[in-house]
Amino acid sequence: WLDIWSWAVATRWDLVIDMRSSLVSALLFSGERKVFRGVNDRHMILQFTEFMGQSDPLIPRIWYSQNDEREACAMLDLSGPYVVVSPFSNWRHKDWPVERYVALLNHAIFEGYTIILTGITKDSPAGALQMLVDGIQRPVVNLFDQGHLRHMIPIFERSALFIGSDSGLMHLSASTKCPTIGLFGPTNALRYGP
């Protein structure tokens, strides 16, 4: 991080666009500076669209290579259709109880689906991931701690549904147009929802 900061602060920029309203951008040498100041009662995509002076809503897109796609497909050792579940975020107050995920995924509506579990083990409470894997009575592909974020894009694109906490993976899923259900705790679903 310090190497990037040293490079950025030593560079003269024509334009600095600060999407987080942070002090960091004020410390950069810039000919012009645009600082986004958001509000809580409108979705961020709509706010960013207005901030950038666009009439059509911005559509976030994450690019991946053919190699990323091949590697991602190789991780899917069971056939679909798929439902991706990302039950844990980096802040436990945002997460739905594991027992509720188990009950939901065992509901008849998910009959015939393969469940893909994804996320980072360090974000899960002790024993919670194993409880989830053991409790789901459907085929499960456990992708926890496997691959990288670019692998998830083609997986989301091949999935019938994403269910998960308010997290980066939820936003990544929404960017692929995979039907996305974000489960929100204390964070603002109106502002940050899929």
Side-chain angles (χ1 to χ4, degrees):
W1 191 91
L2 289 176
D3 290 340
I4 294 171
W5 173 249
S6 297
W7 168 77
V9 79
T11 302
R12 168 99 167 116
W13 300 95
D14 293 327
L15 172 64
V16 170
I17 299 175
D18 180 351
M19 302 301 280
R20 298 186 63 98
S21 304
S22 71
L23 178 61
V24 172
S25 70
L27 301 174
L28 299 175
F29 296 108
S30 171
E32 183 182 352
R33 186 176 329 275
K34 289 183 154 196
V35 179
F36 172 76
R37 300 196 196 295
V39 296
N40 288 326
D41 61 349
R42 296 187 55 237
H43 197 279
M44 292 297 287
I45 295 293
L46 297 176
Q47 293 183 62
F48 287 152
T49 298
E50 288 175 7
F51 176 73
M52 299 304 290
Q54 301 296 307
S55 56
D56 294 327
L58 297 174
I59 301 172
R61 175 111 170 104
I62 308 295
W63 301 100
Y64 60 88
S65 69
Q66 289 178 337
N67 192 51
D68 293 327
E69 185 172 17
R70 276 191 301 275
E71 291 172 358
C73 290
M75 291 190 288
L76 301 176
D77 56 358
L78 297 172
S79 62
Y82 302 110
V83 172
V84 179
V85 178
S86 179
F88 310 116
S89 67
N90 64 353
W91 186 35
R92 296 216 172 106
H93 296 289
K94 297 195 298 184
D95 298 340
W96 214 34
V98 171
E99 301 83 12
R100 291 189 186 164
Y101 277 107
V102 170
L104 174 66
L105 296 170
N106 286 333
H107 190 279
I109 196 168
F110 293 108
E111 185 69 40
Y113 287 90
T114 296
I115 308 302
I116 299 173
L117 299 176
T118 188
I120 302 171
T121 303
K122 73 173 185 64
D123 289 341
S124 65
L129 178 58
Q130 194 59 51
M131 189 170 115
L132 191 59
V133 170
D134 293 343
I136 298 172
Q137 304 301 309
R138 312 245 175 268
V140 172
V141 176
N142 185 352
L143 296 183
F144 263 76
D145 302 321
Q146 294 187 38
H148 51 71
L149 291 175
R150 286 189 321 272
H151 286 140
M152 294 311 303
I153 302 297
I155 290 172
F156 292 147
E157 289 175 345
R158 287 165 173 72
S159 297
L161 180 66
F162 172 95
I163 305 169
S165 297
D166 170 22
S167 66
L169 287 170
M170 180 206 69
H171 295 293
L172 210 55
S173 171
S175 78
T176 68
K177 303 300 181 215
C178 174
T180 300
I181 298 174
L183 302 172
F184 282 75
T187 51
N188 185 338
L190 181 61
R191 186 176 192 190
Y192 298 111

